[in-house]
Each structure stands twice: as structure tokens, then as C-alpha cells.
Amino acid sequence: MNIAVVRQAGAVIVTVSGRLSSAGADQFQEQLMAGLHDKPRALLVDFSELKFITSAGLRALIIAAKWGSADGYHVHLCGMSETIREVFEVSGLLRIFKVHPSVDVGLAAL
């Protein structure tokens, strides 16, 4: 798993690639939370290179979404493959995140 964090247009973009397993979920959560300390307009998570996610990865996103609702920003999920999208559909989590086909579309929606 690789994680990259950039700031663009007042938003934090976290790109995660590879396999987001239980072993990497703590690192993923740390990166999400570190990006939020500056109170961005939004948090965009780029899944375009993500192949697999466990419930621990989902938990990290839920925590970020709860923090966001308290601080006035939204978590946007971008570039989800059909496999990753299915995980979110089955878990019922699509209703709490804004979903976009790409980071560019997500940024334009802010």
C-alpha cells in the first residue's frame, strides 16, 4: 500500500494505492487525520489505484467522515473501481460519502 497526501484548491487529497488491509489501516487513518488538522474545505480520497480494502480501512474513512461533519467538511471518494464500489454498496456506506468518478470531478464539485 502506498499513500500520498497533497493539498489543492483548499482541499486535502489522499491517494491510496495497492491493498488497504488491516495491517495498513492505522497508517491510512493517521494520514487522513494529519491532513485534516488544517481544516480543509473537503477531504478527497482517490481510490483510482486501490485494489482491495478491508473493514479496517472502511473504519478509518468513517472516523474521518465523523470528524468532518463536526468540523464542516465532507469526505469525497473518487475513482472507485467496481470492486471497491461494491464493498461500499454492500456495507451501506455510500450514503454517507460523496462519490465522484475522478479527483478532477470531485474538485469541481466543491
Side-chain angles (χ1 to χ4, degrees):
M1 176 187 73
N2 292 312
I3 301 171
V5 179
V6 297
R7 286 164 179 73
Q8 182 177 341
V12 172
I13 303 167
V14 177
T15 302
V16 59
S17 60
R19 297 176 54 88
L20 179 46
S21 65
S22 297
D26 287 341
Q27 178 188 4
F28 178 61
Q29 184 174 341
E30 288 172 13
Q31 292 295 324
L32 290 174
M33 296 307 153
L36 300 177
H37 287 290
D38 293 338
K39 309 279 187 198
R41 288 180 23 195
L43 171 68
L44 283 78
V45 183
D46 182 3
F47 285 144
S48 61
E49 297 296 320
L50 188 67
K51 306 296 183 216
F52 177 81
I53 188 168
T54 64
S55 59
L58 297 176
R59 180 182 177 278
L61 288 164
I62 292 167
I63 290 169
K66 284 183 180 182
W67 238 30
S69 65
D71 287 344
Y73 66 85
H74 293 281
V75 176
H76 300 251
L77 307 180
C78 306
M80 294 168 51
S81 69
E82 286 301 315
T83 303
I84 300 299
R85 185 179 184 88
E86 186 175 309
V87 171
F88 281 85
E89 284 177 10
V90 169
S91 64
L93 293 176
L94 285 181
R95 68 179 185 265
I96 65 170
F97 297 102
K98 296 183 180 201
V99 179
H100 307 284
S102 69
V103 170
D104 291 336
V105 173
L107 286 171
L110 299 181

mmCIF file of all heavy atoms in Angstrom, residues 25-26 28-30 32-33 36 43 55-71 73 75 93 96-97:
data_model
loop_
_atom_site.group_PDB
_atom_site.id
_atom_site.type_symbol
_atom_site.label_atom_id
_atom_site.label_comp_id
_atom_site.label_asym_id
_atom_site.label_seq_id
_atom_site.Cartn_x
_atom_site.Cartn_y
_atom_site.Cartn_z
ATOM 1 N N ALA A 25 -4.206 -0.140 7.805
ATOM 2 C CA ALA A 25 -5.320 0.751 8.128
ATOM 3 C C ALA A 25 -4.933 1.847 9.115
ATOM 4 O O ALA A 25 -5.395 2.984 8.986
ATOM 5 C CB ALA A 25 -6.492 -0.056 8.661
ATOM 6 N N ASP A 26 -4.087 1.530 10.090
ATOM 7 C CA ASP A 26 -3.667 2.558 11.051
ATOM 8 C C ASP A 26 -2.872 3.664 10.358
ATOM 9 O O ASP A 26 -3.078 4.849 10.626
ATOM 10 C CB ASP A 26 -2.837 1.945 12.177
ATOM 11 C CG ASP A 26 -3.677 1.137 13.146
ATOM 12 O OD1 ASP A 26 -4.909 1.325 13.187
ATOM 13 O OD2 ASP A 26 -3.090 0.306 13.868
ATOM 14 N N PHE A 28 -3.115 4.505 7.213
ATOM 15 C CA PHE A 28 -4.101 5.222 6.394
ATOM 16 C C PHE A 28 -4.871 6.221 7.258
ATOM 17 O O PHE A 28 -5.008 7.386 6.886
ATOM 18 C CB PHE A 28 -5.034 4.206 5.730
ATOM 19 C CG PHE A 28 -6.120 4.809 4.902
ATOM 20 C CD1 PHE A 28 -5.838 5.606 3.801
ATOM 21 C CD2 PHE A 28 -7.452 4.556 5.193
ATOM 22 C CE1 PHE A 28 -6.841 6.149 3.025
ATOM 23 C CE2 PHE A 28 -8.467 5.081 4.421
ATOM 24 C CZ PHE A 28 -8.166 5.888 3.335
ATOM 25 N N GLN A 29 -5.340 5.789 8.409
ATOM 26 C CA GLN A 29 -6.078 6.672 9.301
ATOM 27 C C GLN A 29 -5.210 7.831 9.770
ATOM 28 O O GLN A 29 -5.665 8.975 9.815
ATOM 29 C CB GLN A 29 -6.619 5.898 10.493
ATOM 30 C CG GLN A 29 -7.474 6.758 11.408
ATOM 31 C CD GLN A 29 -8.130 5.957 12.508
ATOM 32 O OE1 GLN A 29 -8.257 4.756 12.429
ATOM 33 N NE2 GLN A 29 -8.540 6.646 13.556
ATOM 34 N N GLU A 30 -3.956 7.564 10.100
ATOM 35 C CA GLU A 30 -3.044 8.637 10.511
ATOM 36 C C GLU A 30 -2.881 9.682 9.420
ATOM 37 O O GLU A 30 -2.874 10.880 9.696
ATOM 38 C CB GLU A 30 -1.682 8.050 10.878
ATOM 39 C CG GLU A 30 -1.664 7.279 12.176
ATOM 40 C CD GLU A 30 -0.349 6.542 12.405
ATOM 41 O OE1 GLU A 30 0.636 6.814 11.689
ATOM 42 O OE2 GLU A 30 -0.326 5.677 13.304
ATOM 43 N N LEU A 32 -5.031 10.333 6.959
ATOM 44 C CA LEU A 32 -6.293 11.062 6.823
ATOM 45 C C LEU A 32 -6.390 12.143 7.888
ATOM 46 O O LEU A 32 -6.693 13.301 7.588
ATOM 47 C CB LEU A 32 -7.481 10.105 6.962
ATOM 48 C CG LEU A 32 -7.738 9.115 5.842
ATOM 49 C CD1 LEU A 32 -8.857 8.161 6.238
ATOM 50 C CD2 LEU A 32 -8.060 9.820 4.543
ATOM 51 N N MET A 33 -6.121 11.780 9.127
ATOM 52 C CA MET A 33 -6.266 12.727 10.228
ATOM 53 C C MET A 33 -5.222 13.834 10.166
ATOM 54 O O MET A 33 -5.517 14.988 10.476
ATOM 55 C CB MET A 33 -6.190 12.002 11.576
ATOM 56 C CG MET A 33 -7.316 11.018 11.805
ATOM 57 S SD MET A 33 -8.923 11.792 11.574
ATOM 58 C CE MET A 33 -9.881 10.394 11.096
ATOM 59 N N LEU A 36 -6.281 16.603 8.006
ATOM 60 C CA LEU A 36 -7.446 17.358 8.460
ATOM 61 C C LEU A 36 -7.139 18.412 9.505
ATOM 62 O O LEU A 36 -7.990 19.241 9.808
ATOM 63 C CB LEU A 36 -8.486 16.381 9.020
ATOM 64 C CG LEU A 36 -8.972 15.352 8.003
ATOM 65 C CD1 LEU A 36 -9.926 14.383 8.659
ATOM 66 C CD2 LEU A 36 -9.603 16.027 6.819
ATOM 67 N N LEU A 43 -12.148 16.748 2.136
ATOM 68 C CA LEU A 43 -11.168 15.673 2.055
ATOM 69 C C LEU A 43 -11.588 14.787 0.893
ATOM 70 O O LEU A 43 -12.703 14.276 0.875
ATOM 71 C CB LEU A 43 -11.149 14.864 3.351
ATOM 72 C CG LEU A 43 -10.323 13.581 3.332
ATOM 73 C CD1 LEU A 43 -8.832 13.907 3.219
ATOM 74 C CD2 LEU A 43 -10.579 12.765 4.592
ATOM 75 N N SER A 55 -12.424 -3.998 6.219
ATOM 76 C CA SER A 55 -13.297 -3.251 7.111
ATOM 77 C C SER A 55 -12.500 -2.255 7.956
ATOM 78 O O SER A 55 -13.023 -1.204 8.335
ATOM 79 C CB SER A 55 -14.092 -4.200 8.013
ATOM 80 O OG SER A 55 -13.216 -4.996 8.785
ATOM 81 N N ALA A 56 -11.248 -2.544 8.223
ATOM 82 C CA ALA A 56 -10.415 -1.600 8.975
ATOM 83 C C ALA A 56 -10.193 -0.323 8.169
ATOM 84 O O ALA A 56 -10.160 0.781 8.728
ATOM 85 C CB ALA A 56 -9.087 -2.247 9.345
ATOM 86 N N GLY A 57 -10.042 -0.438 6.864
ATOM 87 C CA GLY A 57 -9.928 0.738 6.002
ATOM 88 C C GLY A 57 -11.228 1.527 5.969
ATOM 89 O O GLY A 57 -11.218 2.767 5.985
ATOM 90 N N LEU A 58 -12.342 0.817 5.936
ATOM 91 C CA LEU A 58 -13.651 1.476 5.972
ATOM 92 C C LEU A 58 -13.822 2.242 7.284
ATOM 93 O O LEU A 58 -14.330 3.364 7.301
ATOM 94 C CB LEU A 58 -14.771 0.452 5.812
ATOM 95 C CG LEU A 58 -14.814 -0.314 4.492
ATOM 96 C CD1 LEU A 58 -15.919 -1.355 4.532
ATOM 97 C CD2 LEU A 58 -14.959 0.607 3.308
ATOM 98 N N ARG A 59 -13.375 1.639 8.358
ATOM 99 C CA ARG A 59 -13.471 2.279 9.674
ATOM 100 C C ARG A 59 -12.711 3.599 9.694
ATOM 101 O O ARG A 59 -13.200 4.598 10.229
ATOM 102 C CB ARG A 59 -12.930 1.343 10.755
ATOM 103 C CG ARG A 59 -12.983 1.921 12.149
ATOM 104 C CD ARG A 59 -12.373 0.929 13.180
ATOM 105 N NE ARG A 59 -12.363 1.491 14.501
ATOM 106 C CZ ARG A 59 -11.446 2.322 14.982
ATOM 107 N NH1 ARG A 59 -10.421 2.689 14.218
ATOM 108 N NH2 ARG A 59 -11.514 2.793 16.203
ATOM 109 N N ALA A 60 -11.526 3.627 9.117
ATOM 110 C CA ALA A 60 -10.739 4.865 9.069
ATOM 111 C C ALA A 60 -11.499 5.959 8.328
ATOM 112 O O ALA A 60 -11.492 7.127 8.746
ATOM 113 C CB ALA A 60 -9.389 4.599 8.408
ATOM 114 N N LEU A 61 -12.182 5.598 7.255
ATOM 115 C CA LEU A 61 -12.966 6.576 6.494
ATOM 116 C C LEU A 61 -14.176 7.063 7.287
ATOM 117 O O LEU A 61 -14.525 8.244 7.241
ATOM 118 C CB LEU A 61 -13.414 5.974 5.173
ATOM 119 C CG LEU A 61 -12.308 5.805 4.146
ATOM 120 C CD1 LEU A 61 -12.745 4.856 3.045
ATOM 121 C CD2 LEU A 61 -11.912 7.156 3.570
ATOM 122 N N ILE A 62 -14.807 6.165 8.015
ATOM 123 C CA ILE A 62 -15.958 6.549 8.833
ATOM 124 C C ILE A 62 -15.533 7.540 9.910
ATOM 125 O O ILE A 62 -16.219 8.539 10.163
ATOM 126 C CB ILE A 62 -16.622 5.306 9.449
ATOM 127 C CG1 ILE A 62 -17.277 4.464 8.350
ATOM 128 C CG2 ILE A 62 -17.639 5.690 10.517
ATOM 129 C CD1 ILE A 62 -17.682 3.078 8.789
ATOM 130 N N ILE A 63 -14.392 7.293 10.523
ATOM 131 C CA ILE A 63 -13.879 8.219 11.542
ATOM 132 C C ILE A 63 -13.621 9.591 10.924
ATOM 133 O O ILE A 63 -13.983 10.626 11.496
ATOM 134 C CB ILE A 63 -12.613 7.647 12.207
ATOM 135 C CG1 ILE A 63 -12.985 6.443 13.070
ATOM 136 C CG2 ILE A 63 -11.886 8.714 13.031
ATOM 137 C CD1 ILE A 63 -11.804 5.632 13.559
ATOM 138 N N ALA A 64 -13.014 9.626 9.737
ATOM 139 C CA ALA A 64 -12.766 10.900 9.051
ATOM 140 C C ALA A 64 -14.082 11.603 8.725
ATOM 141 O O ALA A 64 -14.190 12.826 8.868
ATOM 142 C CB ALA A 64 -11.951 10.667 7.784
ATOM 143 N N ALA A 65 -15.088 10.847 8.308
ATOM 144 C CA ALA A 65 -16.387 11.439 7.990
ATOM 145 C C ALA A 65 -17.048 12.027 9.234
ATOM 146 O O ALA A 65 -17.653 13.103 9.177
ATOM 147 C CB ALA A 65 -17.289 10.399 7.344
ATOM 148 N N LYS A 66 -16.924 11.349 10.361
ATOM 149 C CA LYS A 66 -17.494 11.876 11.613
ATOM 150 C C LYS A 66 -16.782 13.147 12.039
ATOM 151 O O LYS A 66 -17.414 14.116 12.462
ATOM 152 C CB LYS A 66 -17.404 10.824 12.721
ATOM 153 C CG LYS A 66 -18.423 9.733 12.584
ATOM 154 C CD LYS A 66 -18.343 8.766 13.738
ATOM 155 C CE LYS A 66 -19.382 7.671 13.587
ATOM 156 N NZ LYS A 66 -19.371 6.743 14.712
ATOM 157 N N TRP A 67 -15.464 13.141 11.919
ATOM 158 C CA TRP A 67 -14.696 14.349 12.229
ATOM 159 C C TRP A 67 -15.120 15.479 11.301
ATOM 160 O O TRP A 67 -15.264 16.619 11.719
ATOM 161 C CB TRP A 67 -13.214 14.047 12.040
ATOM 162 C CG TRP A 67 -12.364 14.260 13.236
ATOM 163 C CD1 TRP A 67 -12.716 14.145 14.533
ATOM 164 C CD2 TRP A 67 -10.985 14.610 13.212
ATOM 165 N NE1 TRP A 67 -11.628 14.387 15.331
ATOM 166 C CE2 TRP A 67 -10.557 14.682 14.546
ATOM 167 C CE3 TRP A 67 -10.068 14.863 12.204
ATOM 168 C CZ2 TRP A 67 -9.252 15.003 14.890
ATOM 169 C CZ3 TRP A 67 -8.774 15.177 12.543
ATOM 170 C CH2 TRP A 67 -8.373 15.251 13.877
ATOM 171 N N GLY A 68 -15.296 15.139 10.033
ATOM 172 C CA GLY A 68 -15.667 16.137 9.039
ATOM 173 C C GLY A 68 -17.007 16.771 9.315
ATOM 174 O O GLY A 68 -17.165 17.988 9.192
ATOM 175 N N SER A 69 -17.982 15.963 9.675
ATOM 176 C CA SER A 69 -19.299 16.536 9.931
ATOM 177 C C SER A 69 -19.253 17.491 11.119
ATOM 178 O O SER A 69 -19.947 18.504 11.135
ATOM 179 C CB SER A 69 -20.337 15.435 10.146
ATOM 180 O OG SER A 69 -20.050 14.692 11.307
ATOM 181 N N ALA A 70 -18.405 17.216 12.085
ATOM 182 C CA ALA A 70 -18.251 18.107 13.234
ATOM 183 C C ALA A 70 -17.518 19.391 12.864
ATOM 184 O O ALA A 70 -17.785 20.454 13.424
ATOM 185 C CB ALA A 70 -17.511 17.391 14.361
ATOM 186 N N ASP A 71 -16.597 19.301 11.901
ATOM 187 C CA ASP A 71 -15.780 20.460 11.518
ATOM 188 C C ASP A 71 -16.266 21.159 10.250
ATOM 189 O O ASP A 71 -15.647 22.107 9.789
ATOM 190 C CB ASP A 71 -14.321 20.036 11.327
ATOM 191 C CG ASP A 71 -13.633 19.752 12.643
ATOM 192 O OD1 ASP A 71 -14.156 20.167 13.700
ATOM 193 O OD2 ASP A 71 -12.570 19.112 12.629
ATOM 194 N N TYR A 73 -16.711 19.892 6.975
ATOM 195 C CA TYR A 73 -16.269 19.484 5.638
ATOM 196 C C TYR A 73 -16.855 18.116 5.333
ATOM 197 O O TYR A 73 -17.393 17.433 6.208
ATOM 198 C CB TYR A 73 -14.733 19.443 5.524
ATOM 199 C CG TYR A 73 -14.087 18.376 6.371
ATOM 200 C CD1 TYR A 73 -13.962 17.074 5.904
ATOM 201 C CD2 TYR A 73 -13.602 18.663 7.627
ATOM 202 C CE1 TYR A 73 -13.397 16.086 6.687
ATOM 203 C CE2 TYR A 73 -13.024 17.689 8.418
ATOM 204 C CZ TYR A 73 -12.934 16.401 7.937
ATOM 205 O OH TYR A 73 -12.386 15.433 8.719
ATOM 206 N N VAL A 75 -16.316 14.272 3.212
ATOM 207 C CA VAL A 75 -15.367 13.325 2.645
ATOM 208 C C VAL A 75 -15.908 12.901 1.284
ATOM 209 O O VAL A 75 -17.057 12.467 1.176
ATOM 210 C CB VAL A 75 -15.175 12.100 3.560
ATOM 211 C CG1 VAL A 75 -14.254 11.087 2.901
ATOM 212 C CG2 VAL A 75 -14.618 12.534 4.914
ATOM 213 N N LEU A 93 -22.353 2.106 3.039
ATOM 214 C CA LEU A 93 -21.607 3.332 3.332
ATOM 215 C C LEU A 93 -21.691 4.401 2.238
ATOM 216 O O LEU A 93 -21.272 5.531 2.483
ATOM 217 C CB LEU A 93 -20.143 2.991 3.613
ATOM 218 C CG LEU A 93 -19.910 2.198 4.889
ATOM 219 C CD1 LEU A 93 -18.439 1.823 5.024
ATOM 220 C CD2 LEU A 93 -20.385 2.980 6.100
ATOM 221 N N ILE A 96 -23.142 7.931 3.145
ATOM 222 C CA ILE A 96 -22.503 8.944 3.996
ATOM 223 C C ILE A 96 -21.334 9.656 3.310
ATOM 224 O O ILE A 96 -20.775 10.582 3.872
ATOM 225 C CB ILE A 96 -22.039 8.355 5.345
ATOM 226 C CG1 ILE A 96 -20.933 7.325 5.171
ATOM 227 C CG2 ILE A 96 -23.194 7.775 6.115
ATOM 228 C CD1 ILE A 96 -20.289 6.904 6.476
ATOM 229 N N PHE A 97 -20.987 9.219 2.103
ATOM 230 C CA PHE A 97 -19.881 9.836 1.365
ATOM 231 C C PHE A 97 -20.388 10.403 0.044
ATOM 232 O O PHE A 97 -21.317 9.864 -0.553
ATOM 233 C CB PHE A 97 -18.782 8.807 1.064
ATOM 234 C CG PHE A 97 -18.134 8.237 2.295
ATOM 235 C CD1 PHE A 97 -18.471 6.974 2.745
ATOM 236 C CD2 PHE A 97 -17.189 8.960 2.999
ATOM 237 C CE1 PHE A 97 -17.877 6.432 3.872
ATOM 238 C CE2 PHE A 97 -16.597 8.435 4.138
ATOM 239 C CZ PHE A 97 -16.941 7.178 4.577
#
